Amino acid sequence: MSVSMPPRSLSPISGESPLHRYLGVAAIAAAIDLLTKEAAVRSLGEYGLYTLTDWFSLTVVWNLGAAGGTVVGPFVWLLNVVVSVLALGLVLSVVRPMAAVDPRSTVALGLVSGGALGNLASIVAGPKGVADFLAVRLTQNVTMVANVADLFLWSGALMLIPVAITVLRMARAERGAKGVPARARMA
């Protein structure tokens, strides 16, 4: 007679471990990002433009800077790589604890990491930089150009808002349960 126990790290949503789910989402997001960048460059050419509406167009813009196109000197490439690798390591280290708090966090963290991996791969792959191609006109003189990695990064970050609220509520409840006076909680 044998007794089997379910694995301890199963996600109640998908039946797989939070780490596997996170890695799967990150890999899929990075692959989609890299494929869309390649498709944009191939179909639009190096600097092509395809206008869809007055406020949205497709155009390839090579981002050689840090996040948001910010240029921080001659070490921007190295800075991008180091910060991206450190951030990915930090996210990887919190996947399981965050999943224990809120299982939705694995998808959110996977999207953030997938976007970061896609842009990191683009930075490392060649000297042209990251291909941004989704142009949104914000004002008459200001247009923001992004890529699918950026959309994944922002979507994942927005999805983490309810998770952060849950963590804050848990921390407040824990402090209240320990009998921490209200004045000490405010500080």
Side-chain angles (χ1 to χ4, degrees):
M1 180 169 156
S2 66
V3 176
S4 67
M5 297 180 65
R8 289 178 287 177
S9 62
L10 286 182
S11 167
I13 294 174
S14 66
E16 60 188 12
S17 78
L19 187 59
H20 286 124
R21 187 168 188 215
Y22 158 78
L23 292 172
V25 170
I28 290 168
I32 290 170
D33 171 60
L34 293 171
L35 289 171
T36 57
K37 286 176 186 166
E38 182 65 23
V41 171
R42 284 181 184 231
S43 62
L44 296 169
E46 291 295 312
Y47 300 98
L49 173 66
Y50 183 74
T51 302
L52 297 168
T53 68
D54 288 341
W55 58 271
F56 184 72
S57 60
L58 300 174
T59 185
V60 175
V61 175
W62 294 100
N63 181 350
L64 299 172
T70 307
V71 177
V72 291
F75 299 107
V76 70
W77 185 90
L78 180 61
L79 180 65
N80 276 327
V81 171
V82 169
V83 169
S84 295
V85 169
L86 290 174
L88 287 166
L90 176 64
V91 170
L92 185 60
S93 73
V94 300
V95 169
R96 284 189 178 129
M98 292 293 290
V101 171
D102 190 331
R104 298 174 295 180
S105 66
T106 56
V107 172
L109 293 170
L111 288 173
V112 169
S113 295
L117 283 169
N119 280 340
L120 178 61
S122 297
I123 290 167
V124 172
K128 289 184 181 178
V130 176
D132 290 338
F133 58 92
L134 303 169
V136 178
R137 181 179 295 198
L138 302 176
T139 68
Q140 186 65 27
N141 299 321
V142 177
T143 300
M144 177 189 73
V145 186
N147 57 44
V148 174
D150 300 326
L151 300 179
F152 286 144
L153 285 161
W154 283 105
S155 297
L158 289 172
M159 288 172 63
L160 285 171
I161 292 172
V163 177
I165 291 169
T166 300
V167 169
L168 290 173
R169 285 183 181 155
M170 289 174 66
R172 284 186 186 153
E174 185 176 319
R175 279 186 282 186
K178 289 182 179 179
V180 177
R183 281 190 214 148
R185 280 187 264 160
M186 296 262 193

